[in-house]
């Protein structure tokens, strides 16, 4: 089989790129290891930046988001019993974020790919990338026990943190930077009324907590936990009790508890592979970088990579100009590092760090104080929260 662009991974990055390339008249095939049901069963964050919303609309997958998504113009940070509202709309000349789950984004993308007759192959095994340093790279894989070869002009690695694409870059030329945080997030999804109309990020002596939502009747909550925590060891009642203790009393008073419909632990990691291009291979999304979830930047950062990459490929196929492709890594990385900084900063600001020296703890308090007291500091937070520009 032959195509123009081979996309490894059918998560949000791969599907969005596939959709945009198709709209540009560029042939592409997506190879996804899992079934569609499996991909859609993964619960991920749900805060969409302005740029993410725009690109989804440009890709013709914004209609349901615009109907069902919740527009948020602010969120709260609490420390102990004190609460600060960050007026993101007021601080950014009218920008807002959209609450719309990643699962919904992925569902819309799959439906759009079906409707356009896009090529998305599921349950592909043993995907391997070849001849990336030539002008005729190809991908081999197995499907239904049969061995296949996909010839292409470019290979795009959208296969997440554990996929084979990044591993296809020889280790000596791969520049990687990583921080693993000494804690995780225990998350619960429940069909309960969210405790507030807006998100609440809580700094507390017992550890970080987050009140989020998916809809007016579905809540998503998280509490900081030990990285080795097994979600199965937490009963719903224990979770609600612990969450309640980490929120200010006026918030706890409104906390509606109920049966969890999903409960899982996510590790926290900052990671960047600066080698986002190797020959005819380009990495995008989680294949190239991971942010800790504080601030909900993972999906948004994947989408901005796809924005740069789609424009670069579009220009290459329309005019033969390779400038966009040559500049891709540099342009994407500039935004990646700024966003890494923001996610690292928000994580550092709000969590309890085991064995934190007293000085560091005082610095965290001082940082919170600076934020509570300074509109300028709140503006920097708001600008990052709604999303940095793509250029
Ligand atoms: N062959 C084919 N597909 C693979 C392989 C493989 N060997 N390995 C992984 N994949 C698929 C995964 O099954 C997954 O569906 O690649 C996809 C990668 O999707 P994501 O991990 O969701 O990454 P990405 O599309 O970049 O989306 C980034 O999603 O993961 C979250 O926190 C992340 O919100 C961020 C966003
Ligand atoms: C979520 O709703 O899952 C969520 C929201 C905000 C975050 C992280 C996760 O910062």
């Amino acid at each position: 089989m032959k195509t123009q662009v081979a996309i490894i991974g059918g998560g949000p990055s791969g599907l969005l790129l596939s959709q945009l390339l198709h709209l540009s008249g560029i042939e592409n095939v997506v190879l996804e290891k899992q079934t569609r049901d499996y991909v859609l069963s993964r619960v991920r964050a749900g805060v969409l930046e302005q740029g993410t919303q725009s690109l989804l609309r440009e890709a013709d997958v914004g209609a349901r988001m615009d109907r069902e998504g919740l527009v948020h113009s602010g969120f709260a940070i609490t420390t102990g019993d004190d609460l600060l509202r960050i007026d993101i709309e007021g601080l950014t000349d009218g920008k807002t974020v959209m609450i719309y789950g990643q699962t919904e984004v992925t569902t819309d993308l799959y439906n759009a790919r079906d409707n356009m007759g896009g090529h998305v192959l599921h349950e592909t095994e043993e995907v391997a990338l070849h001849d990336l340093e030539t002008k005729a790279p190809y991908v081999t894989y197995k499907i239904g026990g049969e061995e296949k070869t996909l010839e292409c002009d470019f290979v795009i690695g959208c296969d997440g943190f554990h996929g084979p694409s990044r591993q296809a870059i020889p280790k000596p030329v791969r520049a990687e930077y990583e921080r693993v945080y000494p804690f995780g997030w225990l998350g619960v999804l429940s069909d309960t009324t969210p405790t507030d109309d807006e998100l609440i990020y809580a700094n507390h002596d017992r550890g970080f907590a987050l009140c989020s939502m998916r809809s007016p009747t579905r809540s998503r909550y998280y509490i900081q936990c030990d990285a080795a925590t097994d979600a199965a060891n937490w009963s719903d009642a224990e979770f609600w009790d612990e969450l309640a203790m980490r929120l200010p009393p006026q918030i706890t008073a409104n906390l509606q508890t109920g049966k969890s419909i999903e409960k899982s632990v996510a590790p926290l990691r900052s990671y960047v592979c600066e080698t986002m291009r190797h020959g005819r291979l380009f990495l995008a999304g989680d294949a190239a970088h991971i942010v800790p979830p504080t601030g909900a930047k993972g999906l948004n950062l994947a989408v901005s990579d796809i924005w740069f990459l789609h424009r670069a490929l579009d220009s290459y196929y329309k005019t033969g100009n390779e400038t966009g492709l040559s500049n891709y890594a540099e342009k994407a990385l500039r935004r990646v590092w700024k966003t890494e900084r923001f996610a690292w900063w928000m994580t550092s600001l709000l969590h309890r760090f085991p064995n934190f020296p007293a000085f560091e703890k005082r610095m965290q308090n001082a940082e919170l104080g600076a934020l509570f007291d300074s509109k300028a500091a709140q503006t920097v937070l708001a600008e990052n929260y709604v999303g940095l520009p793509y250029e």
Side-chain angles (χ1 to χ4, degrees):
M1 198 160 52
K2 219 177 152 87
T3 192
Q4 291 176 305
V5 179
I7 300 174
I8 319 290
S13 302
L15 293 171
L16 178 60
L17 181 64
S18 171
Q19 180 72 5
L20 289 164
L21 290 177
H22 196 144
L23 290 168
S24 294
I26 300 166
E27 277 176 36
N28 66 87
V29 175
V30 178
L31 304 178
E32 167 57 49
K33 182 180 174 181
Q34 309 288 352
T35 63
R36 183 182 295 206
D37 285 348
Y38 181 91
V39 173
L40 292 175
S41 69
R42 297 188 292 225
V43 178
R44 297 274 166 77
V47 181
L48 307 186
E49 294 174 352
Q50 296 256 313
T52 301
Q53 299 168 38
S54 304
L55 196 60
L56 291 173
R57 290 185 194 110
E58 183 183 324
D60 263 353
V61 288
R64 192 163 72 96
M65 170 190 78
D66 282 324
R67 270 199 319 275
E68 297 177 13
L70 309 174
V71 174
H72 279 206
S73 56
F75 65 88
I77 289 187
T78 68
T79 173
D81 290 352
D82 298 332
L83 184 146
L84 168 73
R85 179 171 187 266
I86 306 291
D87 174 12
I88 52 177
E89 188 172 20
L91 292 164
T92 62
D93 285 333
K95 296 198 177 110
T96 55
V97 294
M98 180 85 85
I99 305 299
Y100 191 66
Q102 181 172 320
T103 313
E104 307 309 322
V105 172
T106 314
T107 301
D108 295 345
L109 283 164
Y110 271 130
N111 290 338
R113 295 288 52 225
D114 286 350
N115 292 340
M116 288 175 70
H119 300 291
V120 182
L121 307 182
H122 282 275
E123 297 181 83
T124 55
E125 293 167 9
E126 297 175 31
V127 166
L129 298 73
H130 308 272
D131 288 0
L132 298 169
E133 288 152 33
T134 73
K135 287 197 167 164
Y138 64 99
V139 180
T140 54
Y141 60 98
K142 270 190 181 173
I143 190 158
E146 251 185 89
E147 294 195 16
K148 302 273 187 189
T149 298
L150 178 61
E151 294 174 21
C152 54
D153 302 332
F154 298 100
V155 181
I156 314 297
C158 294
D159 45 355
F161 188 62
H162 300 287
S165 298
R166 189 178 65 250
Q167 305 305 331
I169 302 173
K171 196 124 175 85
V173 300
R174 216 157 70 203
E176 299 172 276
Y177 302 87
E178 180 173 52
R179 163 167 300 182
V180 177
Y181 298 86
F183 41 74
W185 280 14
L186 174 62
V188 156
L189 192 67
S190 66
D191 280 326
T192 52
T193 307
T195 181
D196 195 82
D197 292 341
E198 296 185 339
L199 269 57
I200 299 166
Y201 293 84
N203 172 303
H204 193 274
D205 285 339
R206 298 184 67 88
F208 169 78
L210 169 59
C211 307
S212 181
M213 66 191 74
R214 290 291 174 272
S215 75
T217 55
R218 181 167 285 186
S219 306
R220 180 70 168 159
Y221 294 104
Y222 299 94
I223 54 175
Q224 176 185 348
C225 62
D226 192 88
T229 300
D230 180 353
N233 291 338
W234 278 75
S235 69
D236 288 354
E238 284 168 330
F239 180 87
W240 295 120
D241 285 349
E242 186 59 42
L243 175 65
M245 283 191 271
R246 298 183 186 191
L247 303 171
Q250 72 274 25
I251 305 294
T252 300
N254 281 332
L255 183 63
Q256 190 187 336
T257 63
K259 197 172 147 16
S260 66
I261 49 179
E262 196 265 358
K263 197 186 284 153
S264 55
V265 174
L268 270 74
R269 181 196 302 271
S270 297
Y271 168 85
V272 178
C273 173
E274 284 196 341
T275 320
M276 286 180 77
R277 177 198 188 162
H278 179 71
R280 289 257 169 151
L281 167 69
F282 294 82
L283 301 179
D286 276 20
H289 41 70
I290 297 289
V291 286
T294 333
K297 291 300 174 200
L299 172 63
N300 292 298
L301 200 49
V303 169
S304 67
D305 286 352
I306 298 303
W307 188 88
F308 289 117
L309 203 46
H310 167 244
R311 272 151 177 78
L313 287 165
D314 185 59
S315 152
Y316 171 80
Y317 281 107
K318 285 209 171 98
T319 66
N321 186 338
E322 292 202 27
T323 313
L325 292 171
S326 305
N327 293 342
Y328 167 68
E330 190 194 327
K331 282 204 167 186
L333 280 169
R334 215 176 305 151
R335 193 169 187 281
V336 165
W337 276 116
K338 286 183 194 167
T339 308
E340 288 282 347
R341 182 206 71 82
F342 176 66
W344 159 85
W345 174 80
M346 251 190 113
T347 302
S348 308
L349 182 73
L350 297 172
H351 289 75
R352 280 291 154 280
F353 286 73
N355 310 318
F356 216 28
F359 181 81
E360 308 291 332
K361 180 73 196 79
R362 285 286 188 279
M363 278 298 122
Q364 192 186 61
N365 288 344
E367 185 80 29
L368 280 162
L371 182 66
F372 273 59
D373 294 344
S374 160
K375 192 173 168 190
Q378 292 166 28
T379 304
V380 175
L381 168 52
E383 281 171 351
N384 280 274
Y385 200 83
V386 297
L388 299 172
Y390 284 2
E391 291 290 31

